[in-house]
Amino acid sequence: MNTQFKKGVLEICVLSYLAEKDFYGYELVESISVHIMMSEGTIYPLLRRFSNDGLVETYLKESQTGPPRKYYRLTERGRYYYQEQVADWQSFSESVNRILRRQT
């Protein structure tokens, strides 16, 4: 898959997972990688930016298999931002699909 495509949709994919439940970083990578190949190093800068922007908050949770894990959860601001992004994505993807159908 085109790297630029992945960069463009990774943000909304992460927000989508976080809208369902709290995740720790590696768990997000594993979940998204089932559908879109990505490396662990791509998610942490995005999560850090989300945190700096007030879209997510973090907390530590004990792990059965090692040190405590840092979990991420959407804030109210993050939920609102996610809803805006979904609306933008739907509008954008519908427009692109209309263009692609025109050529078939």
Side-chain angles (χ1 to χ4, degrees), residues 10 13-14 17 27-38 43:
L10 186 57
C13 291
V14 169
Y17 274 94
E27 183 183 25
L28 270 170
V29 172
E30 286 183 323
S31 298
I32 293 171
S33 291
V34 169
H35 306 284
I36 300 170
M37 291 306 300
M38 60 176 284
I43 197 106

Side-chain angles (χ1 to χ4, degrees), residues 14-15 18-19 23 28 46-59 71-79:
V14 169
L15 291 169
L18 290 173
F23 280 85
L28 270 170
L46 183 58
L47 290 170
R48 197 167 23 260
R49 183 170 56 82
F50 284 170
S51 182
N52 291 340
D53 291 348
L55 303 178
V56 299
E57 57 190 13
T58 63
Y59 62 93
Y71 276 78
Y72 298 84
R73 82 171 135 231
L74 283 183
T75 61
E76 283 304 310
R77 181 177 179 182
R79 290 191 183 283

